Amino acid sequence: MILETCIDDTAALLALYRDVFPDEDLRPLVAALLALDRGCLSLVALESGTPVAHIAFTRCGTTPGESTGALLGPLAVAPGHQRQGRGTAILKSGLDLLAEQGVRQIFVLGDPGYYGRFGFRPETAVATPLPIPEDWASAWRSLTLAGRAPLPPGTLIVPKPWMDPALWAP
């Protein structure tokens, strides 16, 4: 079952990220995104009431005040539940909801092989909010939702939680 999260889910989601990414502490980012008043679509997949997958999409744009774009991340699937379609299901649910909300383009800094399966292509017209290493260029990708025009070229404007340089560097 895939549901939108609420602030009461924070502790369980932070535990999920600790287990999925033991060498990369994404918990401060996840907590900050969940605390945003608006602008974050956060979905959780539950199994027997326990979170087994989570995804967040943060609304953003390339011009001030515009929010018809979204930045995908993070995405986590619990060990023992990976490679069973849970990541695919939660990602597709998020894309469908964002399309209903009028989002035009989704951005991600992630594995080209994984995100390429969903139609994400290398992004060159919209720059990351902060510099990324040159060898990560192929990991900066986007997906324009069906029937929508891409965002205007520029630099992606994101909420404060995403402005930590450590999120954009090795």
Side-chain angles (χ1 to χ4, degrees):
M1 171 177 7
I2 297 174
L3 305 167
E4 285 194 49
T5 64
C6 66
I7 199 70
D8 294 340
D9 297 324
T10 302
L13 293 175
L14 295 180
L16 173 68
Y17 278 88
R18 181 195 61 232
D19 295 343
V20 175
F21 299 104
D23 299 327
E24 182 180 4
D25 191 6
L26 293 174
R27 292 173 297 166
L29 172 64
V30 172
L33 293 176
L34 294 174
L36 288 175
D37 288 336
R38 56 186 163 77
C40 180
L41 174 62
S42 173
L43 301 175
V44 63
L46 300 173
E47 188 171 291
S48 302
T50 301
V52 295
H54 175 258
I55 194 167
F57 297 90
T58 309
R59 297 296 286 265
C60 55
T62 53
T63 58
E66 191 241 341
S67 62
T68 57
L71 179 60
L72 186 168
L75 167 62
V77 179
H81 296 273
Q82 296 173 359
R83 302 195 190 290
Q84 298 174 17
R86 287 178 174 83
T88 296
I90 202 166
L91 175 57
K92 286 183 176 179
S93 291
L95 295 176
D96 291 344
L97 285 168
L98 291 170
E100 291 173 13
Q101 296 173 6
V103 169
R104 295 164 41 187
Q105 191 171 6
I106 315 293
F107 300 88
V108 67
L109 181 62
D111 177 15
Y114 182 78
Y115 290 104
R117 296 184 321 173
F118 302 99
F120 284 83
R121 301 288 175 242
E123 178 56 53
T124 57
V126 175
T128 56
L130 294 171
I132 60 173
E134 190 174 311
D135 60 337
W136 286 15
S138 66
W140 180 237
R141 306 179 79 75
S142 75
L143 171 68
T144 302
L145 296 178
R148 309 265 165 79
L151 295 182
T155 299
L156 199 64
I157 301 169
V158 295
K160 186 178 179 181
W162 281 107
M163 294 307 293
D164 178 353
L167 297 171
W168 304 93

